[in-house]
Amino acid sequence: DVPRASKQIIKGIPAILKEIRKNGLPNYLLIKKLSGKLGYGIFLHPKAKPILKGEPIAPYSGKVSLCPQNTWNDSNYIFSLISDLRLTKEEQHKWDPTRRYHPRRFYSVDLDAYEKGNFTRFINHSEKPNVEAEFVQIPSNSEGLLPAPFELIYVAKKTILPGEQLLVCYEGDDKSYWGALKIKPFPMTPRTFLLKR
């Protein structure tokens, strides 16, 4: 049930990937240290042109692994790509040999950018995001993108203006991210740390 990537995503991603491989960060973006314990943030360069609604930012990348659901993981960089998977005894022995087989154990395929990934791991949380995560299927194409059954792509949820911080909402519909961590997030908006020209 994964939708096909839009033409805008398929056309835009190859150039973004080329920039990531060359520079680590597209030249129209900046990474900046935020105040206090907030870490880093990604900003649209103050002299760049706006990023329009629907334009791709970049694929979210990291280590893909199969994990039992409801087990503690202290990484703050995980997306669950597929959940509620049940494995046969043979599959569990192959993919999770240290655990005793249980037919009702659920697994998920997780994408974790804690140890490796691209700049998207520094896009911070906001209740008023200007970026959203889209699960898409990459079909055969003439743009040089490898076909994939699913890919997690960050896209502009609305127009991002020069100097604004790129922000995404970490919470899903189940509101399980911040509650599970017992943290009240810093109330950031795209203009909280606006960069001036």
Side-chain angles (χ1 to χ4, degrees):
D1 295 339
V2 178
R4 290 171 62 115
S6 69
K7 289 179 183 177
Q8 192 173 23
I9 288 174
I10 292 171
K11 283 185 162 291
I13 288 294
I16 293 167
L17 291 174
K18 186 177 179 183
E19 287 252 2
I20 291 171
R21 281 192 289 274
K22 184 178 176 186
N23 304 319
L25 187 69
N27 62 8
Y28 52 88
L29 297 174
L30 297 170
I31 186 167
K32 292 284 186 186
K33 173 72 176 90
L34 303 177
S35 62
K37 297 180 181 180
L38 292 176
Y40 292 88
I42 301 295
F43 293 81
L44 181 57
H45 194 290
K47 294 183 179 177
K49 65 178 185 171
I51 299 173
L52 303 178
K53 179 180 180 178
E55 286 186 4
I57 305 299
Y60 190 84
S61 66
K63 179 182 174 186
V64 177
S65 60
L66 181 71
C67 304
Q69 283 182 199
N70 302 321
T71 54
W72 175 251
N73 187 322
D74 61 356
S75 173
N76 294 331
Y77 299 93
I78 291 180
F79 270 97
S80 186
L81 301 174
I82 302 172
S83 56
D84 298 333
L85 295 172
R86 284 199 180 149
L87 303 182
T88 64
K89 190 171 189 175
E90 295 76 24
E91 290 168 336
Q92 185 178 324
H93 180 71
K94 179 179 180 180
W95 297 105
D96 191 16
T98 60
R99 282 185 180 53
R100 192 169 151 214
Y101 176 69
H102 194 288
R104 292 192 304 262
R105 182 178 292 128
F106 285 104
Y107 286 82
S108 63
V109 177
D110 294 336
L111 176 61
D112 188 354
Y114 181 72
E115 293 178 6
K116 65 178 185 175
N118 63 28
F119 72 89
T120 55
R121 64 197 293 245
F122 298 111
I123 295 177
N124 289 311
H125 166 79
S126 176
E127 291 296 318
K128 297 177 181 177
N130 53 8
V131 173
E132 63 185 342
E134 286 190 9
F135 287 104
V136 295
Q137 179 188 136
I138 306 293
S140 296
N141 60 81
S142 59
E143 301 297 328
L145 277 180
L146 293 175
F150 56 85
E151 189 77 50
L152 179 61
I153 308 285
Y154 275 3
V155 298
K157 183 176 181 172
K158 56 186 177 181
T159 297
I160 301 169
L161 299 175
E164 290 185 338
Q165 186 177 179
L166 278 64
L167 298 168
V168 68
C169 184
Y170 293 177
E171 289 280 20
D173 293 336
D174 60 359
K175 303 288 185 194
S176 62
Y177 184 85
W178 294 109
L181 296 173
K182 296 184 171 90
I183 295 173
K184 183 170 174 62
F186 183 84
M188 228 180 293
T189 72
R191 301 183 68 80
T192 300
F193 298 104
L194 185 67
L195 300 180
K196 305 288 184 189
R197 275 184 179 254

